[in-house]
């Protein structure tokens, strides 16, 4: 999964009931002990009384959260500590870029955090080095997997060598998902005499009209290198089947990114730069600055993730909208999206059962409304949002894409090093220094070097 992750909203009663009914009972071990002594390493579901009777426990948590998702995490920590005054959760946070470079070292140290945020690009290193506690027993006990789509379940499992998703044991749990799509400004559409695009040709025609009117057609801030990856994968999901893309991302033997559809996608991306739909200085603009510019009403479209939905909903309200790309012949609901991140428990944790109880607190009814406002898209059905047009559109499209199996995962999850291959290559593509073929060749070489030819 790529850079920053997702958001949403639920009718507390509906989602809480769905999650509650999905929980599977499991007898818990008596935690015993006190202070920071181990509670249990058996994968047990603890009762509230068992947690309260465990003595003073400190859980260390490492994350890279920002924005609404950070607020959601902070509220979950505060709520859990209030419910269990004997438990203290200490956060250590880093920027996304720095976090990915140091997480394996951090988890292998003697002072590894009990709980660590991860994504599908980081997980292979952690699983392959046996640094994570398998979560299968907890998942069964708490019912985490009950509402996950099949693709999400596969993404949260990894083979013991850390190379193949969908095999082996569960490495992480996800409290919500995310979706990349097309945000648009209704006022600017009206100004150029257009409406929300009903086809891919409509999208291109609207961008041309915006350019002719002196309006930024597609906001892109790629100094951080991530947004071009999101746009590229969104276009790939239009020209390429999601099954093919997900097989490549998951490491399925014989997969190849060098297809005609993917070449067409990157050619289209470069064409948008050449035609002036994307600013020629996009590589010099921070993603946050580009998003702020769109939120201020200065651009027609922005292709980014649901992690921006709260920001755009607040700024634009009913003047904004969101949609995935119009369906194509190979994908009726083309979109990039996955679980927002995986939360993991260290194999070195002295209190894994209490750590799992906290993960369940983040997942369950106590945090539902908090998660939705923070930007997580719910896996369980029946969600509603207190937001305006943008938030409502994001939620509706999330359910539609999930039901149509239109989601493709994040390309940088293809190997642990794919981000360092893909993102600079796409930056070079936007600058005219590399061709679509060269970008795909580099990505496939990285994939083959890690997975083998198959």
């Amino acid at each position: 999964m790529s850079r920053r992750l997702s958001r949403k909203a639920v009718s507390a009663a509906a989602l809480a009931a769905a999650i509650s009914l999905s929980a599977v009972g499991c007898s818990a071990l008596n935690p015993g002990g006190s202070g920071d002594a181990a509670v249990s390493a058996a994968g047990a579901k603890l009762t509230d009384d068992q947690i309260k009777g465990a003595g003073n426990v400190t859980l260390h948590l490492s994350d890279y959260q920002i924005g609404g998702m950070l607020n959601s995490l902070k509220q979950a920590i505060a709520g859990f500590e209030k419910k269990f005054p004997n438990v203290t959760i200490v956060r250590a946070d880093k920027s996304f870029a720095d976090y990915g470079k140091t997480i394996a070292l951090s988890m292998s140290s003697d002072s590894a955090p009990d709980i660590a945020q991860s994504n599908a690009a980081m997980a292979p290193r952690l699983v392959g080095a046996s640094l994570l506690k398998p979560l299968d027993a907890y998942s069964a006990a708490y019912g985490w997997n009950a509402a996950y789509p099949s693709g999400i379940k596969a993404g949260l499992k990894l083979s013991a060598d850390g190379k193949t998703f969908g095999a082996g044991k569960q490495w992480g749990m996800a409290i919500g998902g995310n979706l990349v799509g097309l945000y648009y400004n209704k006022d600017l559409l009206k100004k150029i005499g257009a409406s929300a695009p009903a086809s891919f040709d409509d999208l291109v025609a609207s961008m041309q009209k915006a350019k002719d009117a002196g309006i930024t057609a597609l906001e892109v801030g790629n100094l951080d290198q991530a947004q071009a990856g999101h746009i590229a994968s969104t276009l790939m999901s239009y020209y390429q089947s999601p099954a093919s893309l997900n097989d490549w991302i998951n490491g399925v033997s014989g997969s190849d990114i060098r297809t005609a559809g993917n070449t067409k996608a990157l050619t289209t991306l470069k064409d948008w730069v050449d035609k002036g739909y994307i600013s020629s200085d996009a590589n010099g603009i921070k993603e946050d600055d580009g998003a702020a510019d769109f939120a201020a009403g200065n651009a027609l479209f922005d292709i980014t993730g649901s992690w921006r939905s709260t920001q755009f909903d607040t700024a634009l309200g009913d003047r904004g909208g969101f949609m995935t790309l119009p369906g194509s012949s190979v994908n009726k609901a083309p979109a990039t999206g996955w679980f927002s991140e995986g939360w993991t428990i260290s194999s070195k944790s002295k209190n894994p059962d209490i750590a799992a109880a906290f993960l369940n607190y983040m997942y369950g009814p106590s945090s539902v409304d908090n998660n939705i406002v923070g930007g997580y898209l719910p896996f369980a059905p029946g969600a509603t949002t207190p937001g305006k047009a943008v938030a409502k559109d994001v939620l509706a499209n999330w359910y539609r894409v999930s039901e149509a199996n239109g989601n493709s995962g994040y390309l940088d999850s293809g190997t642990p090093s794919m981000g360092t291959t893909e993102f600079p290559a796409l930056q070079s593509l936007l600058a005219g220094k590399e061709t679509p073929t060269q970008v795909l060749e580099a990505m496939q070489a990285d994939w083959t070097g890690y997975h083998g030819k198959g």
Side-chain angles (χ1 to χ4, degrees), residues 41-178:
K45 176 183 178 180
L46 301 181
T47 65
D48 288 357
D49 287 342
Q50 286 175 316
I51 297 173
K52 291 174 182 177
N56 293 325
V57 174
T58 299
L59 296 177
H60 291 271
L61 180 150
S62 183
D63 71 272
Y64 52 83
Q65 295 287 48
I66 61 172
M69 301 181 86
L70 174 57
N71 293 334
S72 176
L73 174 60
K74 287 181 176 179
Q75 289 184 49
I77 291 173
F80 192 80
E81 290 180 333
K82 182 178 180 179
K83 183 176 182 179
F84 304 106
N86 60 308
V87 179
T88 300
I89 299 175
V90 179
R91 284 185 63 235
D93 64 300
K94 291 184 178 181
S95 69
F96 179 86
D98 292 336
Y99 189 96
K101 296 173 183 176
T102 61
I103 182 59
L105 181 62
S106 173
M107 294 297 280
S108 63
S109 72
D110 291 337
S111 58
D114 299 275
I115 299 169
Q117 186 180 2
S118 179
N119 64 16
M122 301 169 193
R125 289 174 285 164
L126 304 179
V127 171
S130 301
L131 298 176
L132 303 182
K133 181 176 178 63
L135 301 183
D136 302 79
Y138 296 126
S139 185
Y142 287 110
W144 294 336
N145 284 353
Y148 293 160
S150 59
I152 299 297
K153 291 180 184 178
L156 290 169
K157 286 183 175 289
L158 260 177
S159 56
D161 61 4
K163 290 193 173 185
T164 305
F165 287 96
K169 297 180 179 180
Q170 186 168 342
W171 62 269
M173 64 84 72
I175 64 176
N178 55 60

Side-chain angles (χ1 to χ4, degrees), residues 7-351:
R7 350 299 193 192
K8 225 45 113 343
V10 157
S11 135
L15 186 53
I19 294 174
S20 176
L21 288 173
S22 71
V24 180
C26 178
S27 61
L29 300 180
N30 190 318
S34 62
D36 288 323
V39 172
S40 166
K45 176 183 178 180
L46 301 181
T47 65
D48 288 357
D49 287 342
Q50 286 175 316
I51 297 173
K52 291 174 182 177
N56 293 325
V57 174
T58 299
L59 296 177
H60 291 271
L61 180 150
S62 183
D63 71 272
Y64 52 83
Q65 295 287 48
I66 61 172
M69 301 181 86
L70 174 57
N71 293 334
S72 176
L73 174 60
K74 287 181 176 179
Q75 289 184 49
I77 291 173
F80 192 80
E81 290 180 333
K82 182 178 180 179
K83 183 176 182 179
F84 304 106
N86 60 308
V87 179
T88 300
I89 299 175
V90 179
R91 284 185 63 235
D93 64 300
K94 291 184 178 181
S95 69
F96 179 86
D98 292 336
Y99 189 96
K101 296 173 183 176
T102 61
I103 182 59
L105 181 62
S106 173
M107 294 297 280
S108 63
S109 72
D110 291 337
S111 58
D114 299 275
I115 299 169
Q117 186 180 2
S118 179
N119 64 16
M122 301 169 193
R125 289 174 285 164
L126 304 179
V127 171
S130 301
L131 298 176
L132 303 182
K133 181 176 178 63
L135 301 183
D136 302 79
Y138 296 126
S139 185
Y142 287 110
W144 294 336
N145 284 353
Y148 293 160
S150 59
I152 299 297
K153 291 180 184 178
L156 290 169
K157 286 183 175 289
L158 260 177
S159 56
D161 61 4
K163 290 193 173 185
T164 305
F165 287 96
K169 297 180 179 180
Q170 186 168 342
W171 62 269
M173 64 84 72
I175 64 176
N178 55 60
L179 183 69
V180 175
L182 183 74
Y183 290 91
Y184 56 90
N185 185 306
K186 295 176 183 177
D187 288 349
L188 293 182
L189 281 172
K190 183 177 181 180
K191 184 175 182 179
I192 62 173
S195 55
S199 68
F200 196 84
D201 287 343
D202 286 347
L203 169 62
V204 175
S206 294
M207 289 195 292
Q208 182 63 51
K209 288 181 179 179
K211 183 205 168 188
D212 293 343
I215 298 169
T216 298
L218 180 61
E219 188 74 65
V220 179
N222 199 52
L223 179 62
D224 322 78
Q225 298 185 338
Q227 191 175 10
H230 293 148
I231 299 172
S233 62
T234 297
L235 288 171
M236 285 183 182
S237 72
Y238 178 83
Y239 289 108
Q240 191 73 33
S241 73
S244 171
L245 289 170
N246 287 333
D247 280 352
W248 187 83
I249 292 166
N250 289 340
V252 174
S253 178
S255 298
D256 201 316
I257 198 74
R258 299 168 298 182
T259 65
N262 291 333
T263 302
K264 177 63 175 175
L266 295 190
T267 300
T268 298
L269 175 57
K270 181 59 171 62
D271 184 56
W272 287 357
V273 176
D274 293 342
K275 289 183 177 178
Y277 304 156
I278 296 173
S279 172
S280 59
D281 63 352
N283 284 335
I285 301 171
K286 290 182 179 180
E287 186 174 1
D288 284 347
D289 291 341
D293 192 57
F294 176 79
N298 297 324
L300 181 61
F301 297 120
D302 193 339
I303 295 178
T304 187
S306 51
W307 49 90
R308 295 287 181 186
S309 64
T310 299
Q311 176 185 5
F312 294 161
D313 194 66
T314 300
L316 296 173
D318 292 335
R319 296 181 295 113
F322 175 91
M323 61 181 291
T324 62
L325 293 187
S328 68
S329 60
V330 297
N331 191 348
K332 297 187 182 303
T336 293
W338 215 233
F339 51 88
S340 56
E341 71 271 313
W343 289 97
T344 71
I345 297 176
S346 167
S347 58
K348 299 181 180 183
S349 175
K350 294 180 179 180
N351 295 287

